[in-house]
Amino acid sequence: MSDLSVRNRSHRPGADGPEGVRLQKVLAQAGVASRRAAEELIAEGRVSVDGEVVREQGRRVDPATAVIHVDGVRVVVRDDLVYLALNKPQGVHSTMSDDRGRPCVGDYLRGREDRLFHVGRLDAETEGLLLLTNDGELAHRLMHPSFEVLKTYLAEVPAPIPRDLGRRLRAGVELEDGPVKVHSFKVVDHVRDRALVEVVLHEGRKHIVRRLLEQVGHPVERLVRTAVGEVRLGNQKPGRLRPLNRAEIGSLYAAVGL
């Protein structure tokens, strides 16, 4: 290796030596554990780098390129990547700007230096969880139908709900652009002539939940997305942004095989 290539490697972003940063330091900076605890994780064979289990304490890695897993869960070690959850209010469009001056997702990101984009869309009248990131590879996989990442919705619909509706939805319903099946369906609540139902599916076609429930005779009156994979909306208030925690980010990576 030439002297020039050695110098270039030593000046890569995040590198603190000619071969990168010590693995235990990277884990500590990522919030996985203290350096001492990270050394124990490495000694126990619970850490892998680029698919290889690492037990040596002196291992150095490049945080900009290394793929690191702890107990099988990927750890994000790049400090330039951002992962946010927005509880999108009703009436807000899933765009970063709107030439007609309508409320949009970009309104909630003003003043941020990061160039973020939304992972998929929610129509203007649908509320709930929308993920925002600058991690292009993860976003692409989350949106690609082949990875079948589940999305959970709560829908308010007219009652009563037939007992066989869940079975029909799981078996598949024919729409104008092809059949659709749900992963699961259940009635959450029922008050007089209104019912609250939970629909879980991996489909991402436009207005898919609304079209599906209307097709079976239960047009949606209110729709909220409550989860994407294992990331849940919880009690997050409408219009609020929050960073995803390490476990949530790891679950999204696991869902798409990264």
Side-chain angles (χ1 to χ4, degrees):
M1 183 179 294
S2 69
D3 291 342
L4 178 61
S5 65
V6 170
R7 287 199 300 273
N8 286 341
R9 289 184 65 185
S10 66
H11 286 83
R12 288 181 300 190
D16 66 356
E19 305 258 336
V21 185
R22 287 183 179 273
L23 181 55
Q24 55 266 48
K25 180 179 178 181
V26 171
L27 294 175
Q29 290 176 335
V32 175
S34 67
R35 287 203 200 185
R36 184 178 294 271
E39 290 172 355
E40 294 176 2
L41 292 174
I42 294 169
E44 293 167 2
R46 297 166 60 185
V47 181
S48 68
V49 177
D50 298 332
E52 174 192 357
V53 174
V54 176
R55 293 179 181 271
E56 60 194 87
Q57 297 297 333
R59 178 68 173 268
R60 292 180 180 270
V61 299
D62 183 350
T65 60
V67 176
I68 300 172
H69 289 77
V70 176
D71 293 333
V73 178
R74 184 162 173 177
V75 177
V76 177
V77 296
R78 286 176 51 185
D79 58 12
D80 61 323
L81 294 179
V82 177
Y83 306 86
L84 301 174
L86 170 69
N87 184 353
K88 187 188 83 65
Q90 188 178 42
V92 173
H93 292 259
S94 292
T95 57
M96 289 304 177
S97 62
D98 188 87
D99 55 10
R100 295 164 60 183
R102 298 173 297 181
C104 66
V105 169
D107 296 339
Y108 297 90
L109 300 172
R110 287 177 181 167
R112 295 188 64 95
E113 296 182 359
D114 326 282
R115 187 175 181 275
L116 304 177
F117 47 90
H118 45 82
V119 181
R121 291 174 178 267
L122 294 175
D123 65 71
E125 294 309 304
T126 299
E127 309 162 53
L129 181 61
L130 189 65
L131 301 179
L132 302 159
T133 187
N134 55 0
D135 187 333
E137 182 178 13
L138 177 63
H140 171 73
R141 292 196 178 206
L142 287 171
M143 290 186 287
H144 200 284
S146 66
F147 291 99
E148 300 188 350
V149 177
L150 295 176
K151 292 97 174 173
T152 304
Y153 297 83
L154 285 178
E156 185 179 319
V157 298
I161 305 297
R163 289 191 174 187
D164 69 340
L165 183 57
R167 178 185 57 78
R168 289 166 55 197
L169 293 174
R170 287 189 294 272
V173 174
E174 191 69 35
L175 301 179
E176 66 272 13
D177 55 352
V180 58
K181 296 180 181 180
V182 305
H183 178 77
S184 67
F185 173 88
K186 69 179 179 181
V187 178
V188 176
D189 198 6
H190 184 189
V191 179
R192 295 188 295 276
D193 61 347
R194 294 290 180 271
L196 187 65
V197 300
E198 181 186 85
V199 180
V200 182
L201 74 174
H202 68 262
E203 284 273 7
R205 282 180 275 170
K206 189 174 182 179
H207 303 309
I208 190 67
V209 177
R210 294 181 183 275
R211 292 192 290 129
L212 172 63
L213 291 175
E214 184 170 9
Q215 182 69 18
V216 296
H218 296 276
V220 171
E221 298 174 3
R222 185 184 179 194
L223 186 62
V224 181
R225 182 158 71 189
T226 59
V228 175
E230 295 183 21
V231 179
R232 302 196 171 277
L233 190 62
N235 59 3
Q236 187 174 338
K237 294 180 179 179
R240 294 296 296 273
L241 278 168
R242 70 170 180 87
L244 299 188
N245 61 42
R246 188 170 63 84
E248 289 174 319
I249 298 169
S251 75
L252 292 175
Y253 274 109
V256 296
L258 287 173

